Amino acid sequence: MTRIENTFAALRAEGRKAFVAYIMAGDPNVDTSLALMKGLPGAGVDVIELGLPFTDPMADGPTIQEAGQRALAGHMTLDQTLGMVRAFREDDDETPIVLMGYYNPIYSRGVDRFLSQAREAGIDGLIIVDLPPEEDDELCIPAQKAGLNFIRLATPTTDDKRLPKVLENTSGFVYYVSITGITGAAAAQAAEVGPEVARIKAQTDLPVIVGFGIRTPDTAREIAGTADGCVVGSAIVSEMASGRKTEDVLAFVKSLADGAHSA
């Protein structure tokens, strides 16, 4: 079992919901983002999503796009991102890390080489938003063979005809996007999310985690209550962008985690 699968099994045994936090590698610089990353487990984060900066992040809203631009302006690279993971693993061998981004940097590196390096660094799963299920032979299936979970996104437009294809080679968990559009664009609504999560869970035994549009502890609790947990990204990245101290950002993260865990 991967760290992701072990974590969700432990949460299920405890009757607890998961809290997943997204940060952008290298935003605003390597040292600050690594310090934040190292503090996330202590703030109640069960799974870390680490953004890989990319020049054309088409699925991301302005907040995360700007975070990626700041990271790239600081010359953040794939190698430095993997280096952050290695540094994190020096002190934490349990918290799952999911690398989230786009296929181009991986393709440029070479899939086999990338997967070997990612596994060695301590990455547990991948979310690659621009690779549809029809392209599973490109990365999804090789990643699974290498021991990494490949996490797929389902959205409000993923109908019952499309859903089985989306779920076919997914592992670790399913990431349900609670709104139509880019990250950070609107607020998630539990009344709308609940039926969609139930529809997905009727077709898979995987945990379903809901992301997009979660900015407050109350919303984290409400959304986590409809699913197996929730993801917060843009709200955390916004706190970093505002120049707040790392400890203050971690306090904000803890408030969100407490909200999700109280569901």
Side-chain angles (χ1 to χ4, degrees):
M1 292 178 68
T2 65
R3 290 185 186 93
I4 295 170
E5 292 161 347
N6 284 331
T7 293
F8 280 105
L11 288 166
R12 191 180 309 113
E14 296 167 8
R16 298 173 65 230
K17 301 301 179 77
F19 181 70
V20 182
Y22 171 98
I23 63 170
M24 177 65 72
D27 176 40
N29 54 61
V30 175
D31 290 343
T32 302
S33 60
L34 179 58
L36 178 64
M37 185 179 181
K38 287 185 172 183
L40 292 176
V45 173
D46 300 299
V47 179
I48 296 170
E49 283 183 13
L50 184 64
L52 177 63
F54 182 54
T55 53
D56 187 24
M58 60 185 179
D60 297 319
T63 299
I64 291 179
Q65 283 191 17
E66 290 166 8
Q69 289 167 2
R70 288 191 296 270
L72 291 170
H75 307 291
M76 192 65 182
T77 64
L78 174 57
D79 285 331
Q80 287 180 302
T81 301
L82 295 176
M84 276 185 62
V85 176
R86 292 188 192 96
F88 178 88
R89 287 286 177 230
E90 291 174 2
D91 302 313
D92 187 322
D93 195 43
E94 294 184 2
T95 305
I97 299 172
V98 176
L99 189 68
M100 185 171 187
Y102 297 81
Y103 185 45
N104 183 274
I106 296 170
Y107 177 80
S108 298
R109 174 62 50 97
V111 167
D112 290 343
R113 183 182 175 204
F114 165 77
L115 290 174
S116 176
Q117 292 175 338
R119 181 72 187 270
E120 177 271 329
I123 288 171
D124 305 291
L126 302 173
I127 300 176
I128 306 301
V129 299
D130 56 345
L131 274 182
E134 288 75 15
E135 305 294 333
D136 275 357
D137 287 340
E138 287 280 330
L139 181 62
C140 173
I141 292 173
Q144 311 252 35
K145 289 179 178 177
L148 292 125
N149 291 126
F150 198 89
I151 295 133
R152 189 79 70 191
L153 304 181
T155 74
T157 60
T158 307
D159 60 21
D160 288 337
K161 183 178 179 180
R162 179 66 173 168
L163 184 58
K165 186 67 176 177
V166 169
L167 297 174
E168 185 176 10
N169 292 314
T170 300
S171 66
F173 62 91
V174 179
Y175 187 137
Y176 178 68
V177 177
S178 64
I179 58 175
T180 301
I182 56 177
T183 58
Q189 301 294 328
E192 298 174 3
V193 169
E196 291 298 297
V197 170
R199 183 170 66 89
I200 296 168
K201 290 180 75 66
Q203 297 197 39
T204 181
D205 293 328
L206 291 171
V208 179
I209 306 301
V210 178
F212 285 46
I214 302 169
R215 295 182 169 275
T216 68
D218 286 345
T219 306
R221 182 181 65 254
E222 291 167 3
I223 296 298
T226 69
D228 297 297
C230 68
V231 185
V232 177
S234 294
I236 297 171
V237 172
S238 292
E239 292 293 307
M240 290 296 293
S242 71
R244 297 184 67 186
K245 294 180 180 178
T246 300
E247 55 265 34
D248 294 331
V249 177
L250 289 170
F252 173 67
V253 172
K254 186 177 186 305
S255 73
L256 296 165
D258 288 347
H261 290 149
S262 68

